[in-house]
């Protein structure tokens, strides 16, 4: 089995049951998602891709906020995509949302979605679950249209939180195969330079989370 296949099987195993309570439980600690969606400012007629779309929660909220944009969701877990498809259909956003199964570190957007590039790409608390997450950042920047932007929210270094809290948080996250990416800022800076783009990087809630925006030049 390939590495991608192994990760897909792992995610299906982890979330086959959890997906049914995922949104109800994660809202208490996946902080900063809604403000990231508000900051997308998706243009009318624009295209928006979420990498690691999970249950479709973010896609549904983004589709409501930007009713004139089109949305695309990629996830490696078929179990999660089943839940996402139901969520999108129940919200009535189906005609504007297309979902596909794939590896966020290496995907062909044209083959999966019929789109070569996107005005916005966002990744919400998925990089901390993706082996080879650095490749996801490079892949996301690779499908951005000129003037487009990549938006990321995920766990931070927790550098200004009590050490006991950081230890407990990371031990608990590890049970769900989640690892905060402490090198996030450095990797984003490197990839931003390669793409000749600009980077905004903010630490949130005393380092609990980070919010980054990379904008490609026009």
């Amino acid at each position: 089995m390939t590495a991608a296949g192994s990760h897909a099987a792992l995610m299906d195993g982890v979330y086959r049951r959890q997906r049914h309570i995922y949104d109800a439980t994660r809202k208490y600690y996946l902080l900063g998602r809604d403000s990231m969606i508000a900051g997308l400012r998706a243009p009318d007629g624009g295209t928006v891709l979420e990498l690691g779309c999970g249950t479709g929660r973010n896609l549904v909220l983004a589709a409501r906020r930007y009713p004139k944009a089109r949305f695309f969701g990629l996830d490696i877990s078929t179990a999660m995509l089943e839940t996402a498809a139901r969520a999108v259909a129940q919200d009535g956003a189906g005609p504007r949302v297309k979902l596909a199964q794939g590896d966020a570190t290496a995907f062909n957007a044209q083959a999966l979605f019929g789109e070569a590039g996107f005005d916005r790409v966002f990744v919400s608390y998925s990089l901390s679950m993706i082996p080879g997450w650095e490749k996801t950042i490079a892949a996301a920047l690779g499908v951005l249209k000129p003037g487009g932007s990549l938006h990321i929210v995920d766990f931070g270094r927790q550098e200004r939180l009590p050490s006991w809290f950081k230890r407990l948080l990371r031990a608990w996250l590890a049970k769900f195969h989640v690892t905060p990416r402490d090198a996030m800022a450095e990797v984003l800076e490197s990839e931003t330079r390669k793409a000749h783009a600009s980077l905004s990087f903010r630490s949130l809630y005393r380092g609990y989370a980070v919010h980054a925006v990379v904008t490609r030049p026009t």
Side-chain angles (χ1 to χ4, degrees):
M1 184 180 291
T2 65
S6 296
H7 185 56
L10 174 63
M11 292 297 98
D12 278 341
V14 169
Y15 291 112
R16 182 161 282 112
R17 291 185 176 84
Q18 282 193 45
R19 61 193 167 121
H20 302 297
I21 60 170
Y22 186 93
D23 291 332
T25 56
R26 267 57 176 184
K27 66 181 180 180
Y28 297 108
Y29 65 89
L30 299 187
L31 308 179
R33 294 181 296 173
D34 292 352
S35 59
M36 179 199 65
I37 291 171
L40 289 176
R41 297 185 178 88
D44 290 351
T47 51
V48 182
L49 168 66
E50 181 179 14
L51 298 176
C53 65
T55 64
R57 181 260 188 197
N58 296 326
L59 284 173
V60 166
L61 292 181
R64 289 178 190 168
R65 189 176 187 96
Y66 306 104
K68 295 183 179 180
R70 292 184 295 126
F71 294 86
F72 304 84
L74 180 77
D75 204 281
I76 202 167
S77 167
T78 54
M80 281 297 214
L81 286 171
E82 290 172 4
T83 299
R86 283 197 296 272
V88 168
Q90 289 170 3
D91 200 68
R96 292 191 295 120
V97 180
K98 185 173 183 178
L99 304 172
Q101 194 273 342
D103 181 358
T105 67
F107 60 93
N108 185 325
Q110 184 68 57
L112 291 171
F113 300 115
E115 300 283 339
F118 303 88
D119 297 291
R120 303 287 185 270
V121 179
F122 69 97
V123 193
S124 171
Y125 285 94
S126 292
L127 293 177
S128 50
M129 301 187 69
I130 298 174
W133 59 277
E134 301 93 337
K135 295 178 182 177
T136 298
I137 293 174
L141 291 175
V143 296
L144 271 184
K145 293 179 180 179
S149 53
L150 165 64
H151 301 248
I152 295 170
V153 65
D154 213 314
F155 292 106
R157 294 175 174 172
Q158 297 93 44
E159 68 275 7
R160 298 191 303 280
L161 292 170
S163 57
W164 64 265
F165 179 87
K166 179 177 180 177
R167 283 197 308 274
L168 288 176
L169 174 64
R170 293 192 173 215
W172 183 70
L173 290 175
K175 297 179 184 296
F176 302 97
H177 305 279
V178 175
T179 304
R181 305 308 186 186
D182 291 340
M184 180 87 73
E186 290 80 6
V187 170
L188 281 170
E189 288 169 359
S190 175
E191 293 298 331
T192 296
R193 285 194 297 271
K194 292 177 186 176
H196 305 288
S198 61
L199 170 66
S200 168
F201 188 92
R202 294 190 297 125
S203 179
L204 308 175
Y205 316 114
R206 300 179 66 188
Y208 179 90
V210 295
H211 180 200
V213 180
V214 181
T215 306
R216 281 198 62 186
T218 55

